[in-house]
Every structure is written in C-alpha cells, then in structure tokens.
Coordinates of all heavy atoms in Angstrom, one line a residue:
M1 N -1.8 -21.9 -13.4 CA -1.0 -20.6 -13.6 C -1.0 -19.9 -12.2 O -2.0 -19.5 -11.7 CB -1.6 -19.9 -14.7 CG -0.9 -18.6 -15.0 SD -1.6 -17.5 -16.3 CE -1.6 -18.7 -17.7
P2 N 0.2 -19.5 -11.7 CA 0.3 -18.7 -10.5 C -0.2 -17.2 -10.7 O 0.0 -16.7 -11.8 CB 1.7 -18.8 -10.1 CG 2.5 -19.1 -11.4 CD 1.5 -19.9 -12.3
K3 N -0.8 -16.7 -9.7 CA -1.1 -15.3 -9.7 C 0.2 -14.5 -9.6 O 1.2 -15.0 -9.4 CB -2.0 -15.0 -8.5 CG -3.4 -15.6 -8.6 CD -4.2 -15.2 -7.5 CE -5.6 -15.9 -7.6 NZ -6.5 -15.5 -6.5
A4 N 0.0 -13.2 -9.8 CA 1.2 -12.3 -9.7 C 0.8 -11.1 -8.9 O -0.4 -10.8 -8.6 CB 1.6 -11.8 -11.1
Y5 N 1.8 -10.5 -8.3 CA 1.5 -9.3 -7.4 C 2.4 -8.1 -7.8 O 3.6 -8.2 -8.1 CB 1.9 -9.8 -6.0 CG 1.0 -10.9 -5.6 CD1 1.4 -12.2 -5.8 CD2 -0.3 -10.7 -5.0 CE1 0.6 -13.3 -5.6 CE2 -1.1 -11.8 -4.7 CZ -0.6 -13.1 -5.0 OH -1.5 -14.1 -4.8
W6 N 1.7 -7.0 -7.9 CA 2.3 -5.7 -8.3 C 2.5 -5.0 -7.0 O 1.5 -4.8 -6.2 CB 1.3 -5.1 -9.2 CG 1.7 -3.8 -9.9 CD1 2.8 -3.0 -9.6 CD2 1.0 -3.2 -10.9 NE1 2.7 -1.9 -10.4 CE2 1.7 -2.0 -11.3 CE3 -0.1 -3.6 -11.7 CZ2 1.2 -1.2 -12.3 CZ3 -0.6 -2.7 -12.7 CH2 0.2 -1.5 -13.0
I7 N 3.7 -4.7 -6.6 CA 4.0 -4.1 -5.4 C 4.7 -2.8 -5.6 O 5.7 -2.6 -6.3 CB 5.1 -5.0 -4.5 CG1 4.4 -6.4 -4.4 CG2 5.4 -4.3 -3.3 CD1 5.4 -7.4 -3.9
G8 N 4.0 -1.7 -5.0 CA 4.6 -0.4 -5.1 C 5.1 -0.1 -3.7 O 4.5 -0.2 -2.7
S9 N 6.4 0.4 -3.6 CA 7.0 0.7 -2.3 C 8.0 1.8 -2.4 O 8.1 2.4 -3.5 CB 7.7 -0.5 -1.8 OG 8.8 -0.9 -2.7
H10 N 8.6 2.1 -1.4 CA 9.6 3.3 -1.3 C 8.8 4.6 -1.8 O 9.4 5.3 -2.6 CB 10.8 3.0 -2.1 CG 11.5 1.8 -1.7 ND1 11.6 0.7 -2.5 CD2 12.1 1.5 -0.6 CE1 12.3 -0.2 -1.9 NE2 12.6 0.2 -0.7
M11 N 7.6 4.7 -1.4 CA 6.8 5.8 -1.9 C 6.9 7.1 -1.1 O 6.8 7.0 0.1 CB 5.3 5.5 -2.0 CG 5.0 4.5 -3.0 SD 3.1 4.3 -3.2 CE 3.1 2.9 -4.2
T12 N 7.1 8.2 -1.7 CA 7.1 9.5 -1.1 C 6.2 10.3 -2.0 O 6.4 10.6 -3.2 CB 8.5 10.1 -1.1 OG1 9.4 9.3 -0.4 CG2 8.5 11.5 -0.5
V13 N 5.0 10.6 -1.4 CA 4.0 11.5 -2.2 C 4.4 12.9 -2.0 O 4.4 13.5 -0.9 CB 2.6 11.3 -1.6 CG1 1.6 12.1 -2.3 CG2 2.3 9.8 -1.8
K14 N 4.8 13.5 -3.1 CA 5.2 14.9 -3.1 C 4.0 15.9 -3.5 O 4.1 17.1 -3.2 CB 6.4 15.2 -4.0 CG 7.6 14.3 -3.6 CD 8.8 14.6 -4.4 CE 8.7 14.2 -5.8 NZ 9.9 14.3 -6.6
D15 N 3.0 15.4 -4.2 CA 1.9 16.2 -4.6 C 0.6 15.3 -4.5 O 0.4 14.4 -5.4 CB 2.1 16.7 -6.0 CG 1.1 17.6 -6.5 OD1 -0.1 17.4 -6.1 OD2 1.4 18.6 -7.2
A16 N -0.1 15.5 -3.4 CA -1.3 14.7 -3.2 C -2.4 14.9 -4.3 O -3.0 13.9 -4.6 CB -2.0 15.0 -1.8
D17 N -2.5 16.0 -4.9 CA -3.5 16.2 -6.0 C -3.1 15.4 -7.3 O -4.0 14.7 -7.9 CB -3.6 17.7 -6.4 CG -4.2 18.5 -5.3 OD1 -5.0 17.9 -4.5 OD2 -4.0 19.7 -5.2
K18 N -1.8 15.3 -7.5 CA -1.4 14.5 -8.7 C -1.6 13.0 -8.3 O -1.9 12.2 -9.2 CB 0.1 14.7 -9.0 CG 0.3 16.1 -9.7 CD 1.8 16.3 -10.0 CE 2.0 17.7 -10.6 NZ 3.4 17.9 -11.0
M19 N -1.4 12.6 -7.1 CA -1.6 11.2 -6.7 C -3.0 10.8 -6.9 O -3.4 9.8 -7.3 CB -1.1 11.0 -5.2 CG -1.2 9.6 -4.8 SD -0.1 8.5 -5.7 CE -0.4 7.0 -4.7
K20 N -3.9 11.7 -6.5 CA -5.3 11.5 -6.6 C -5.8 11.4 -8.0 O -6.6 10.5 -8.4 CB -6.1 12.6 -5.9 CG -6.1 12.5 -4.4 CD -6.8 13.7 -3.7 CE -6.7 13.7 -2.2 NZ -7.2 14.9 -1.6
A21 N -5.3 12.3 -8.9 CA -5.6 12.2 -10.3 C -5.1 10.9 -11.0 O -5.8 10.2 -11.7 CB -5.0 13.4 -11.0
Y22 N -3.9 10.4 -10.6 CA -3.3 9.2 -11.0 C -4.2 8.0 -10.5 O -4.6 7.1 -11.3 CB -1.9 9.0 -10.5 CG -1.5 7.6 -10.4 CD1 -1.0 6.8 -11.6 CD2 -1.5 6.9 -9.2 CE1 -0.7 5.6 -11.5 CE2 -1.1 5.5 -9.2 CZ -0.7 4.9 -10.3 OH -0.4 3.5 -10.3
A23 N -4.6 8.0 -9.3 CA -5.4 6.9 -8.7 C -6.7 6.8 -9.4 O -7.2 5.6 -9.7 CB -5.5 7.1 -7.2
A24 N -7.3 7.9 -9.7 CA -8.6 7.9 -10.3 C -8.6 7.2 -11.7 O -9.4 6.5 -12.2 CB -9.2 9.3 -10.5
A25 N -7.4 7.5 -12.4 CA -7.2 7.0 -13.8 C -6.7 5.6 -13.7 O -7.0 4.8 -14.6 CB -6.3 7.9 -14.6
A26 N -5.8 5.3 -12.8 CA -5.2 3.9 -12.8 C -6.1 2.8 -12.3 O -6.0 1.7 -12.8 CB -3.9 4.0 -11.8
G27 N -7.0 3.2 -11.4 CA -7.9 2.2 -10.8 C -8.7 1.4 -11.9 O -8.7 0.1 -11.9
P28 N -9.3 2.1 -12.8 CA -10.1 1.4 -13.9 C -9.1 0.6 -14.8 O -9.5 -0.6 -15.3 CB -10.7 2.5 -14.7 CG -10.9 3.6 -13.7 CD -9.6 3.6 -12.9
A29 N -7.9 1.1 -15.1 CA -7.0 0.3 -15.9 C -6.5 -1.0 -15.2 O -6.5 -2.0 -15.8 CB -5.8 1.2 -16.2
I30 N -6.3 -0.9 -13.9 CA -5.9 -2.1 -13.2 C -7.0 -3.1 -13.1 O -6.9 -4.3 -13.3 CB -5.5 -1.6 -11.8 CG1 -4.1 -0.9 -11.9 CG2 -5.4 -2.8 -10.8 CD1 -3.7 -0.1 -10.6
A31 N -8.3 -2.6 -12.8 CA -9.4 -3.5 -12.8 C -9.7 -4.2 -14.1 O -10.0 -5.4 -14.2 CB -10.7 -2.7 -12.4
Q32 N -9.4 -3.5 -15.2 CA -9.6 -4.0 -16.6 C -8.7 -5.2 -16.8 O -9.1 -6.1 -17.6 CB -9.4 -2.9 -17.6 CG -9.6 -3.3 -19.1 CD -9.3 -2.2 -20.0 OE1 -8.6 -1.2 -19.7 NE2 -9.9 -2.3 -21.2
H33 N -7.6 -5.3 -16.2 CA -6.7 -6.3 -16.3 C -6.8 -7.4 -15.2 O -5.9 -8.2 -15.0 CB -5.2 -5.8 -16.4 CG -5.0 -5.2 -17.8 ND1 -5.3 -3.8 -17.9 CD2 -4.6 -5.6 -18.9 CE1 -5.0 -3.4 -19.2 NE2 -4.6 -4.5 -19.8
G34 N -7.9 -7.3 -14.4 CA -8.1 -8.3 -13.4 C -7.4 -8.0 -12.1 O -7.3 -8.9 -11.2
G35 N -6.9 -6.8 -12.0 CA -6.2 -6.4 -10.7 C -7.1 -6.2 -9.6 O -8.2 -5.6 -9.8
K36 N -6.7 -6.6 -8.4 CA -7.5 -6.4 -7.2 C -6.5 -5.9 -6.1 O -5.5 -6.6 -5.8 CB -8.1 -7.8 -6.8 CG -8.8 -7.8 -5.5 CD -9.3 -9.1 -5.2 CE -9.7 -9.3 -3.7 NZ -10.1 -10.7 -3.4
F37 N -6.9 -4.8 -5.5 CA -6.0 -4.3 -4.4 C -6.1 -5.1 -3.2 O -7.2 -5.3 -2.7 CB -6.4 -2.8 -4.1 CG -6.1 -1.9 -5.2 CD1 -7.1 -1.3 -6.0 CD2 -4.8 -1.5 -5.5 CE1 -6.8 -0.4 -7.0 CE2 -4.4 -0.6 -6.5 CZ -5.5 -0.1 -7.3
L38 N -5.0 -5.5 -2.6 CA -4.9 -6.3 -1.4 C -4.5 -5.4 -0.2 O -4.9 -5.6 0.9 CB -4.0 -7.5 -1.5 CG -4.3 -8.5 -2.6 CD1 -3.3 -9.6 -2.6 CD2 -5.7 -9.1 -2.4
A39 N -3.6 -4.5 -0.5 CA -3.2 -3.5 0.5 C -3.0 -2.2 -0.3 O -2.4 -2.2 -1.4 CB -1.9 -3.9 1.2
R40 N -3.4 -1.1 0.4 CA -3.4 0.1 -0.4 C -3.2 1.3 0.6 O -4.1 2.0 1.0 CB -4.6 0.3 -1.2 CG -4.6 1.5 -2.2 CD -5.8 1.4 -3.1 NE -5.8 2.4 -4.1 CZ -6.8 2.7 -4.9 NH1 -7.9 2.0 -4.8 NH2 -6.7 3.6 -5.8
G41 N -1.9 1.5 1.0 CA -1.6 2.7 1.8 C -2.0 2.6 3.2 O -2.0 3.6 3.9
G42 N -2.2 1.4 3.8 CA -2.5 1.3 5.2 C -1.3 1.4 6.0 O -0.2 1.7 5.6
A43 N -1.5 1.2 7.3 CA -0.4 1.3 8.3 C 0.7 0.3 7.9 O 0.4 -0.8 7.4 CB -0.8 1.0 9.7
T44 N 2.0 0.6 8.1 CA 3.1 -0.3 7.8 C 4.0 -0.4 9.0 O 4.0 0.5 9.8 CB 4.0 0.2 6.6 OG1 4.6 1.5 7.0 CG2 3.2 0.3 5.4
V45 N 4.7 -1.5 9.1 CA 5.7 -1.8 10.2 C 6.9 -2.2 9.4 O 6.9 -3.3 8.7 CB 5.2 -2.9 11.2 CG1 6.4 -3.1 12.1 CG2 4.0 -2.5 11.9
T46 N 8.0 -1.5 9.5 CA 9.2 -1.8 8.8 C 10.1 -2.6 9.7 O 10.4 -2.2 10.8 CB 10.0 -0.5 8.4 OG1 9.1 0.2 7.5 CG2 11.3 -0.9 7.7
C47 N 10.3 -3.9 9.3 CA 11.1 -4.8 10.1 C 12.6 -4.8 9.7 O 13.4 -4.9 10.6 CB 10.5 -6.2 10.0 SG 8.9 -6.3 10.6
E48 N 12.8 -4.6 8.5 CA 14.2 -4.5 7.9 C 14.2 -3.6 6.8 O 13.2 -3.5 6.1 CB 14.7 -5.9 7.5 CG 14.8 -6.9 8.6 CD 15.4 -8.3 8.1 OE1 16.1 -8.3 7.1 OE2 15.1 -9.3 8.8
G49 N 15.3 -2.9 6.6 CA 15.4 -2.1 5.4 C 14.9 -0.7 5.6 O 14.5 -0.4 6.7
P50 N 14.8 0.1 4.5 CA 14.4 1.5 4.6 C 12.9 1.6 5.1 O 12.1 0.7 4.8 CB 14.6 2.1 3.3 CG 14.8 0.9 2.3 CD 15.2 -0.3 3.2
E51 N 12.6 2.6 5.8 CA 11.3 2.9 6.3 C 10.3 3.0 5.1 O 10.6 3.6 4.2 CB 11.2 4.2 7.1 CG 9.9 4.4 7.8 CD 9.7 3.5 9.0 OE1 10.6 3.0 9.6 OE2 8.5 3.3 9.3
Q52 N 9.2 2.3 5.2 CA 8.2 2.3 4.2 C 7.0 3.1 4.7 O 6.3 2.7 5.7 CB 7.7 0.9 3.8 CG 8.8 0.0 3.3 CD 9.3 0.5 2.0 OE1 8.5 0.7 1.0 NE2 10.6 0.6 1.9
T53 N 6.7 4.2 4.1 CA 5.5 5.0 4.5 C 4.3 4.7 3.8 O 3.2 4.9 4.4 CB 5.9 6.5 4.3 OG1 6.2 6.8 3.0 CG2 7.0 6.9 5.2
R54 N 4.4 4.1 2.7 CA 3.2 3.8 1.9 C 3.5 2.6 1.0 O 4.5 2.6 0.3 CB 2.7 4.9 1.0 CG 1.4 4.6 0.2 CD 1.0 5.8 -0.6 NE -0.1 5.5 -1.5 CZ -1.4 5.4 -1.1 NH1 -1.8 5.6 0.1 NH2 -2.3 5.1 -2.0
V55 N 2.7 1.5 1.0 CA 3.0 0.3 0.3 C 1.6 -0.1 -0.4 O 0.6 0.0 0.3 CB 3.5 -0.9 1.1 CG1 3.6 -2.1 0.3 CG2 4.8 -0.5 1.7
V56 N 1.6 -0.5 -1.7 CA 0.4 -1.0 -2.3 C 0.8 -2.3 -2.9 O 1.8 -2.5 -3.5 CB 0.0 0.0 -3.5 CG1 -1.2 -0.5 -4.2 CG2 -0.3 1.5 -2.9
V57 N -0.1 -3.3 -2.6 CA 0.0 -4.6 -3.2 C -1.3 -4.9 -4.0 O -2.4 -4.8 -3.4 CB 0.1 -5.7 -2.1 CG1 0.3 -7.1 -2.7 CG2 1.3 -5.4 -1.2
T58 N -1.1 -5.3 -5.2 CA -2.2 -5.6 -6.1 C -2.1 -6.9 -6.7 O -1.0 -7.3 -7.2 CB -2.3 -4.5 -7.3 OG1 -2.2 -3.2 -6.8 CG2 -3.5 -4.6 -8.1
E59 N -3.1 -7.7 -6.6 CA -3.1 -9.1 -7.1 C -3.6 -9.1 -8.5 O -4.6 -8.5 -8.8 CB -3.9 -10.0 -6.2 CG -4.0 -11.4 -6.7 CD -4.9 -12.2 -5.7 OE1 -6.2 -12.1 -5.9 OE2 -4.4 -12.9 -4.9
F60 N -3.0 -9.9 -9.4 CA -3.4 -10.1 -10.8 C -3.5 -11.6 -11.0 O -2.9 -12.4 -10.4 CB -2.4 -9.4 -11.8 CG -2.4 -8.0 -11.8 CD1 -1.7 -7.2 -11.0 CD2 -3.2 -7.3 -12.8 CE1 -1.8 -5.8 -11.1 CE2 -3.3 -5.9 -12.9 CZ -2.6 -5.2 -12.0
P61 N -4.3 -12.0 -12.0 CA -4.5 -13.3 -12.3 C -3.2 -14.1 -12.8 O -3.1 -15.3 -12.7 CB -5.6 -13.4 -13.4 CG -6.0 -12.0 -13.7 CD -5.2 -11.1 -12.9
S62 N -2.2 -13.3 -13.3 CA -1.0 -13.9 -13.8 C 0.0 -12.8 -14.0 O -0.3 -11.6 -14.0 CB -1.2 -14.6 -15.2 OG -1.5 -13.5 -16.2
L63 N 1.3 -13.2 -14.2 CA 2.4 -12.3 -14.4 C 2.1 -11.5 -15.7 O 2.3 -10.3 -15.8 CB 3.7 -13.1 -14.5 CG 5.0 -12.2 -14.6 CD1 5.2 -11.5 -13.2 CD2 6.2 -13.1 -14.9
Q64 N 1.6 -12.2 -16.7 CA 1.3 -11.6 -18.0 C 0.3 -10.5 -17.9 O 0.4 -9.4 -18.5 CB 0.9 -12.6 -19.1 CG 0.8 -12.1 -20.4 CD 2.1 -11.6 -21.0 OE1 3.1 -12.4 -21.1 NE2 2.2 -10.4 -21.4
A65 N -0.8 -10.8 -17.1 CA -1.9 -9.8 -16.9 C -1.3 -8.6 -16.2 O -1.6 -7.4 -16.6 CB -3.0 -10.4 -16.1
A66 N -0.5 -8.8 -15.2 CA 0.1 -7.6 -14.5 C 1.0 -6.8 -15.4 O 1.0 -5.6 -15.5 CB 0.9 -8.1 -13.3
S67 N 1.8 -7.5 -16.2 CA 2.7 -6.8 -17.2 C 1.9 -6.1 -18.3 O 2.2 -4.9 -18.6 CB 3.7 -7.8 -17.8 OG 4.6 -7.2 -18.6
D68 N 0.9 -6.7 -18.7 CA 0.1 -6.1 -19.8 C -0.6 -4.9 -19.2 O -0.7 -3.9 -19.9 CB -1.0 -7.1 -20.3 CG -0.5 -8.2 -21.1 OD1 0.7 -8.1 -21.6 OD2 -1.2 -9.2 -21.4
C69 N -1.1 -4.9 -18.0 CA -1.7 -3.7 -17.3 C -0.7 -2.6 -17.3 O -1.0 -1.5 -17.7 CB -2.2 -4.1 -15.9 SG -2.8 -2.7 -15.1
Y70 N 0.5 -2.8 -16.8 CA 1.5 -1.8 -16.7 C 1.8 -1.1 -18.0 O 2.0 0.1 -18.1 CB 2.8 -2.3 -16.0 CG 3.7 -1.2 -15.8 CD1 3.6 -0.4 -14.6 CD2 4.7 -0.8 -16.7 CE1 4.4 0.7 -14.3 CE2 5.5 0.3 -16.5 CZ 5.4 1.1 -15.3 OH 6.2 2.1 -15.1
N71 N 1.9 -1.9 -19.0 CA 2.2 -1.5 -20.4 C 1.0 -1.0 -21.2 O 1.2 -0.5 -22.3 CB 3.0 -2.6 -21.1 CG 4.4 -2.8 -20.5 OD1 5.2 -1.9 -20.3 ND2 4.6 -4.0 -20.1
S72 N -0.2 -1.1 -20.6 CA -1.4 -0.7 -21.4 C -1.4 0.8 -21.6 O -0.9 1.6 -20.8 CB -2.6 -1.2 -20.7 OG -2.8 -0.4 -19.5
D73 N -2.1 1.2 -22.7 CA -2.3 2.6 -23.0 C -3.0 3.3 -21.8 O -2.6 4.4 -21.4 CB -3.1 2.8 -24.3 CG -2.3 2.4 -25.5 OD1 -1.1 2.3 -25.5 OD2 -2.9 2.2 -26.6
A74 N -4.0 2.7 -21.2 CA -4.8 3.3 -20.2 C -4.0 3.5 -18.9 O -3.9 4.6 -18.4 CB -6.0 2.4 -19.8
Y75 N -3.0 2.5 -18.6 CA -2.2 2.8 -17.4 C -1.1 3.8 -17.7 O -0.8 4.6 -16.8 CB -1.6 1.4 -16.9 CG -0.9 1.7 -15.6 CD1 -1.6 1.9 -14.4 CD2 0.5 1.8 -15.6 CE1 -0.9 2.2 -13.2 CE2 1.2 2.1 -14.4 CZ 0.4 2.3 -13.2 OH 1.1 2.6 -12.0
Q76 N -0.6 3.7 -18.8 CA 0.5 4.7 -19.2 C -0.1 6.1 -19.2 O 0.6 7.0 -18.8 CB 1.1 4.3 -20.5 CG 2.0 3.0 -20.5 CD 3.1 3.2 -19.5 OE1 4.0 4.1 -19.6 NE2 3.3 2.3 -18.6
A77 N -1.3 6.3 -19.6 CA -1.9 7.6 -19.5 C -2.1 8.0 -18.1 O -1.9 9.2 -17.7 CB -3.3 7.6 -20.3
A78 N -2.5 7.1 -17.2 CA -2.6 7.4 -15.8 C -1.2 7.8 -15.2 O -1.2 8.8 -14.4 CB -3.1 6.2 -15.0
L79 N -0.2 7.2 -15.7 CA 1.2 7.5 -15.2 C 1.5 9.0 -15.5 O 2.2 9.7 -14.7 CB 2.2 6.6 -15.8 CG 2.5 5.3 -15.1 CD1 3.5 4.5 -15.8 CD2 2.8 5.5 -13.6
T80 N 1.1 9.5 -16.6 CA 1.4 10.9 -17.0 C 0.8 11.9 -16.0 O 1.4 13.0 -15.8 CB 0.9 11.3 -18.4 OG1 -0.5 11.2 -18.4 CG2 1.5 10.3 -19.4
K81 N -0.3 11.5 -15.3 CA -0.9 12.3 -14.2 C -0.1 12.5 -13.0 O -0.2 13.5 -12.3 CB -2.3 11.8 -13.9 CG -3.3 11.9 -15.1 CD -4.6 11.4 -14.8 CE -5.5 11.4 -16.0 NZ -5.6 12.6 -16.7
L82 N 0.9 11.5 -12.8 CA 1.7 11.6 -11.6 C 2.7 12.8 -11.8 O 3.0 13.5 -10.9 CB 2.5 10.3 -11.4 CG 1.8 9.3 -10.6 CD1 2.7 8.0 -10.5 CD2 1.4 9.7 -9.2
D83 N 3.3 12.9 -13.0 CA 4.2 14.0 -13.4 C 5.1 14.4 -12.3 O 5.1 15.6 -11.9 CB 3.3 15.2 -13.8 CG 4.1 16.3 -14.4 OD1 5.2 16.0 -15.0 OD2 3.7 17.5 -14.2
G84 N 5.8 13.5 -11.7 CA 6.8 13.8 -10.7 C 6.2 14.0 -9.3 O 6.9 14.3 -8.3
G85 N 4.9 13.7 -9.1 CA 4.2 13.9 -7.8 C 4.5 12.9 -6.8 O 4.2 13.0 -5.7
V86 N 5.1 11.7 -7.3 CA 5.4 10.7 -6.3 C 6.7 10.0 -6.7 O 7.0 9.8 -7.9 CB 4.3 9.6 -6.4 CG1 4.6 8.4 -5.6 CG2 2.9 10.1 -6.0
D87 N 7.5 9.7 -5.8 CA 8.7 8.9 -6.0 C 8.3 7.5 -5.4 O 7.8 7.4 -4.3 CB 9.9 9.4 -5.2 CG 10.4 10.8 -5.7 OD1 10.3 11.0 -6.9 OD2 11.0 11.5 -4.9
R88 N 8.6 6.5 -6.2 CA 8.2 5.1 -5.8 C 9.0 4.1 -6.6 O 9.6 4.4 -7.7 CB 6.8 4.9 -6.0 CG 6.4 4.9 -7.5 CD 4.9 4.8 -7.7 NE 4.6 4.8 -9.2 CZ 3.5 4.3 -9.6 NH1 2.5 4.0 -8.8 NH2 3.3 4.3 -11.0
S89 N 8.9 2.9 -6.2 CA 9.5 1.7 -6.9 C 8.3 0.8 -7.1 O 7.4 0.6 -6.3 CB 10.5 0.9 -6.0 OG 11.6 1.8 -5.8
I90 N 8.2 0.2 -8.3 CA 7.2 -0.8 -8.7 C 7.8 -2.1 -9.1 O 8.7 -2.1 -9.9 CB 6.3 -0.2 -9.9 CG1 5.7 1.1 -9.5 CG2 5.2 -1.3 -10.3 CD1 4.5 1.0 -8.5
Y91 N 7.3 -3.2 -8.6 CA 7.8 -4.5 -8.8 C 6.6 -5.4 -9.2 O 5.5 -5.2 -8.6 CB 8.5 -5.2 -7.7 CG 9.6 -4.3 -7.1 CD1 9.3 -3.4 -6.0 CD2 10.9 -4.4 -7.5 CE1 10.3 -2.6 -5.5 CE2 11.9 -3.5 -6.9 CZ 11.5 -2.7 -5.9 OH 12.5 -1.9 -5.4
I92 N 6.8 -6.3 -10.1 CA 5.8 -7.3 -10.4 C 6.5 -8.7 -10.0 O 7.6 -9.0 -10.5 CB 5.3 -7.4 -11.8 CG1 4.7 -6.0 -12.2 CG2 4.4 -8.5 -12.0 CD1 4.4 -5.9 -13.7
V93 N 5.8 -9.5 -9.2 CA 6.4 -10.8 -8.8 C 5.4 -11.9 -9.0 O 4.2 -11.6 -8.7 CB 6.9 -10.7 -7.3 CG1 5.8 -10.4 -6.4 CG2 7.6 -12.0 -6.9
E94 N 5.8 -13.0 -9.5 CA 5.0 -14.1 -9.7 C 4.8 -14.8 -8.4 O 5.7 -15.0 -7.6 CB 5.6 -15.1 -10.7 CG 4.7 -16.2 -11.1 CD 5.3 -17.0 -12.3 OE1 6.4 -17.5 -12.1 OE2 4.7 -17.1 -13.3
G95 N 3.6 -15.2 -8.0 CA 3.2 -15.9 -6.8 C 3.6 -17.3 -6.8 O 3.8 -17.9 -7.9
A96 N 3.7 -17.9 -5.6 CA 4.0 -19.3 -5.5 C 2.7 -20.1 -5.8 O 1.6 -19.7 -5.4 CB 4.5 -19.7 -4.1
E97 N 2.8 -21.3 -6.4 CA 1.6 -22.1 -6.6 C 1.4 -23.0 -5.4 O 2.3 -23.4 -4.7 CB 1.8 -22.9 -7.9 CG 1.8 -22.2 -9.2 CD 1.6 -23.0 -10.4 OE1 0.6 -23.7 -10.5 OE2 2.5 -22.9 -11.2

C-alpha cells in the first residue's frame, strides 16, 4: 500500500496566534493517524507558479489514513482554531510505490 502525503501550500498567515493554537491542536490529531511532518514551514524556492512562503508536507501510512485524519473530530476541532487566521490550500496525494 503506498504512503500518502498531505501538502499545505499557498499559505498566508494572517494571525500568528490562531496559527499557533491550530498547530498545538492539529499536531496530536495528525500523529494519532500516523502522520509525520517531513517539511514544516522551512525555506522555500519557487521554481514555477505563484510564490510559496510556507509549505507543509506530512507523510501518512496511506491515502485512507490521511483522509481519515482530515475528517476526524480532533482535526476538525483544530481547524476551528484557525478561524480565518490563515489562507491556504490543502491537498492529499497518494505516493508512488
């Protein structure tokens, strides 16, 4: 079964306090579903497309685990803490075997 990757991009943090509250709640929910951060807000180099100021890549054991995490009560509760404090796009992509 291939792993899956949850990619957050096109991020604009409008309220750092809301982002911190979200991260504190989201981290345990992600770990509970086997998620492991591979990249989390480090330096980026945009080669094509819109400038990326913050990108997060999280590895999950499977597409189902990543989807279950996003839809879990714990993660959805974490999302409420963002409350418009971040603009972003989230994608889940299945890895190659």
Side-chain angles (χ1 to χ4, degrees):
M1 177 181 305
K3 293 184 179 183
Y5 300 88
W6 187 343
I7 301 167
S9 63
H10 304 111
M11 290 192 191
T12 302
V13 177
K14 300 187 291 186
D15 186 322
D17 290 334
K18 288 181 179 180
M19 182 66 173
K20 287 177 187 174
Y22 157 79
I30 289 168
Q32 183 180 23
H33 288 88
K36 174 183 167 187
F37 292 105
L38 301 180
R40 191 174 185 186
T44 63
V45 175
T46 299
C47 298
E48 296 183 25
E51 187 71 27
Q52 299 296 306
T53 57
R54 181 176 173 83
V55 177
V56 177
V57 179
T58 310
E59 180 182 76
F60 285 87
S62 67
L63 189 68
Q64 188 65 54
S67 182
D68 288 348
C69 178
Y70 186 85
N71 292 303
S72 71
D73 291 341
Y75 186 76
Q76 290 299 308
L79 277 179
T80 65
K81 296 181 183 307
L82 279 178
D83 188 34
V86 177
D87 291 334
R88 66 185 185 161
S89 296
I90 300 291
Y91 307 91
I92 300 172
V93 60
E94 188 173 60
E97 287 196 61

